[in-house]
Amino acid sequence: MNKLKYFCLGGACIVSLVTSWAMVHYGPQSAILFAGIFGLGSTALPSVLSRMKYYVTRIYSRYLSSGPRHGPGEGTIFVSTSPVEDAFEYLEAAYTAIDRDDTYESVTREEFSEGPGLSVIYAGFHNSFVRVSNTGMVVVTGASERSIDVVDTLRGIKDIRFEQTNRSPFVGYTPIRGAARVFLSVFVAIALMSSIVMIGGGAYPNDAYNPAERTVLMGIDAHGDLNPRVSATDTTLTRVAFLVSIVEEESTEIGWAQNKTTEIERHSQQALAVSQEARELLGSVASSDPTTAQREQIKSLRVQLTSAEAAVVTAVDEKTRSENVTSTTTIDETTRELAEE
């Protein structure tokens, strides 16, 4: 079983479903559509590479067979114009005919990946191969002009005609194997995860969120839509709880030692933007006739949000007082708004 193939098919289905859901839930957006196309494109890469390998091999074999280093029939393929009814019976008849012909040194029965066949040896190390395709066509291959002799011998069996070609019936789209498959698997997995993250970015384009936070928010929305036991109000409250945790995280990030004035401005503004959105959501839920349990949760979330906002203000104040960070008008206005929330 080609695990990479099924992994790509599964990934393509997941990306298609997520993209379709996001386009319906958040409305048609080019960012979401582009992310979906990117994910689907990454899952098609192994198949595209397999086909490229096939066509390159085919073109190269044509070049070799037509080059000056080959004589008539050397390096080419002969395929019967009509199928044989019984492949095993035909191969046994071919074995007998070739074995009786002094032109060849020996003939042996071989088991190829395509099935049973014959290996015809002459001049010590040159050989040709006789096989039957799954459609019943007799195929003769070999890197020597003596393959024509084998074809002449086979023509006497059941009066089968052969035509010379550069395309082997046994050469098709082979799956990627080995280290290349491992590399492609990792690449496709990363591309699929990136696609989901990009869809989250299209769903929540607010710069206050990082890619991971956008993906989590999208996951909360998806869970609310897909789980019939979760109401829209519960989904909103879950989203608010996550927003509160983001504000709390901002207070921690503000205290990082390497942060300078620019970073403090950015983190404080992000905390304010997330806090304002959380309060708007709480206000909309409070006015939508929540249950008693939901009212209690709203009160609890408001307390937690106020505490998180205060933690951000405290972190900014400590940073600007104790370290070489200059407080700016933007920082002062942001912390004032957070304190007033």
Side-chain angles (χ1 to χ4, degrees), residues 17-30:
L17 291 174
V18 173
T19 303
S20 300
W21 167 82
M23 293 287 281
V24 172
H25 186 89
Y26 302 106
Q29 297 185 38
S30 58

Side-chain angles (χ1 to χ4, degrees), residues 10 24 39 63 65 101 121 154 163 170 192 284 288-289 321 338-339:
V24 172
Y63 165 75
S65 63
D101 195 325
I121 302 174
L154 296 178
E163 63 179 10
F170 301 118
L192 287 173
S284 65
S288 64
D289 193 23
R321 288 176 181 273
L338 282 168

